[in-house]
Amino acid sequence: MQQLLDTAEKIRTMEIRGAGRIAEAASAALRDYVLDLKVTNIKDFNKKVDEAANILIQTRPTAVSLPNAVQITKRHTSEDVAGAREEILHNAEVFLKQAGEALERMGKIGAKRIHDGDVIMTHCNSHAALSVISTAFKQGKDISVIATESRPRRQGFITIRELNDYGIPTTLIVDSAVRYCMKEVDTVIVGADAITVNGALVNKVGTSQLAHAAHEARKNVLSVAETFKFSPNTILGDMIDIEERSADEVIDQEILAELPNVKVKNPAFDITPAEYIDMIITEVGAFPPQMAYTIIKEHLGWELSHMG
């Protein structure tokens, strides 16, 4: 359990971050917990697994990749502990393998949407988005990137380092310069923390600003997302909770203490309407956001909508 608690804390504090990496870490943590779980009664086993799953799920409320990964990993049909353990270990193995392969597939599919000479704007730090960009570059396309700083945690600094290591010409901009720089851009490519049944995109706060500016300037917006980032529960009418993070990420508490009339709002994510998104790139193909329902039904299955 301690190893699982350590993983949960790393997810909560964003030492492990990014929807895809969170999902993989959670699946692996649950797998390792089940591997060492010493109970013989199936009811006790299921109770312990559910408790561990809930610990992981509660760390980050917005990224649906986390509960999806946990539910996919823990589901089983066995009535004995040995069989249940074997199913869960198999689930984790399959999920982690498919998650790893998804990045490469999304990169190849998305790269077809990038043309020689394109200037791409990206936001935050998305392995999925970077897979598309780096694949296009490796194909010999002459591209460059404009990356946002992505305050308050400045994940854009991670992005520019990765792009630099690929050898891709990159310009770092402050978040508030998005609209000013949009005239230089051909395509906006971002990741996703969640996609709802109506095709709306939940992603790092500021994404909707990029999409709105791109829509105004008649630029394409692509979201790159594994199918496990789609939210089955939104079919049932559930809303996605937008995580509010600590004011400490924005301002020093000593300074804030001197300002009794000031409070800090620090949402980690925002919601981009489907009409501002041209295409969602997944490992199973490129789809307009209006097809989100089909992705959820065919690739996640109804059963996830009714689980935990």
Side-chain angles (χ1 to χ4, degrees), residues 224-241:
V224 191
E226 298 92 332
T227 52
F228 60 73
K229 292 178 182 175
F230 288 70
S231 176
N233 286 339
T234 56
I235 291 178
L236 303 179
D238 289 359
M239 304 293 287
I240 293 178
D241 292 331

Side-chain angles (χ1 to χ4, degrees), residues 3-227:
Q3 186 177 351
L4 184 137
L5 290 172
D6 290 344
T7 298
E9 181 64 11
K10 288 177 180 178
I11 293 172
R12 188 189 68 78
T13 60
M14 293 181 67
E15 183 176 339
I16 298 174
R17 45 153 305 282
R21 282 159 282 187
I22 287 171
E24 293 178 45
S27 180
L30 193 60
R31 173 201 63 196
D32 294 343
Y33 174 73
V34 166
L35 190 61
D36 293 331
L37 186 55
K38 293 176 174 59
V39 295
T40 55
N41 182 283
I42 188 64
K43 288 185 178 179
D44 292 340
F45 178 88
N46 288 337
K47 181 182 178 183
K48 292 283 189 182
V49 170
D50 285 343
E51 288 172 354
N54 287 333
I55 289 170
L56 291 166
I57 289 171
Q58 290 167 8
T59 56
R60 299 293 303 276
T62 302
V64 298
S65 61
L66 176 55
N68 280 353
V70 170
Q71 301 292 4
I72 288 168
T73 301
K74 82 181 185 75
R75 61 188 176 189
H76 69 83
T77 58
S78 298
E79 296 182 3
D80 63 89
V81 171
R85 193 194 315 271
E86 185 176 342
E87 280 192 63
I88 291 173
L89 296 180
H90 175 73
N91 291 343
E93 180 184 353
V94 171
F95 178 80
L96 292 170
K97 181 175 183 291
Q98 290 179 344
E101 293 172 348
L103 271 180
E104 183 178 353
R105 286 202 293 269
M106 291 187 300
K108 290 179 179 178
I109 293 168
K112 295 177 181 178
R113 299 274 170 173
I114 297 177
H115 305 101
D116 201 46
D118 275 0
V119 176
I120 300 158
M121 182 177 283
T122 193
H123 185 53
C124 198
N125 177 244
S126 164
H127 270 191
L130 287 176
S131 176
V132 170
I133 295 168
S134 62
T135 299
F137 185 73
K138 290 172 185 174
Q139 290 173 348
K141 293 175 182 175
D142 179 20
I143 60 173
S144 61
V145 176
I146 297 175
T148 60
E149 185 182 17
S150 309
R151 286 187 60 83
R153 295 184 67 96
R154 294 180 171 177
Q155 291 101 321
F157 286 13
I158 304 171
T159 294
I160 61 171
R161 183 171 294 278
E162 293 180 5
L163 290 167
N164 178 76
D165 291 346
Y166 284 127
I168 301 173
T170 303
T171 301
L172 176 69
I173 62 170
V174 296
D175 295 340
S176 49
V178 161
R179 187 171 183 268
Y180 176 81
C181 295
M182 191 59 70
K183 59 183 177 290
E184 304 171 23
V185 173
D186 295 290
T187 301
V188 172
I189 302 180
V190 296
D193 281 271
I195 295 172
T196 68
V197 66
N198 67 347
L201 167 65
V202 182
N203 199 45
K204 167 73 177 180
V205 68
T207 300
S208 60
Q209 171 183 268
L210 267 74
H212 189 275
H215 183 76
E216 176 193 42
R218 306 293 189 268
K219 311 291 186 176
N220 287 331
V221 176
L222 308 180
S223 173
V224 191
E226 298 92 332
T227 52

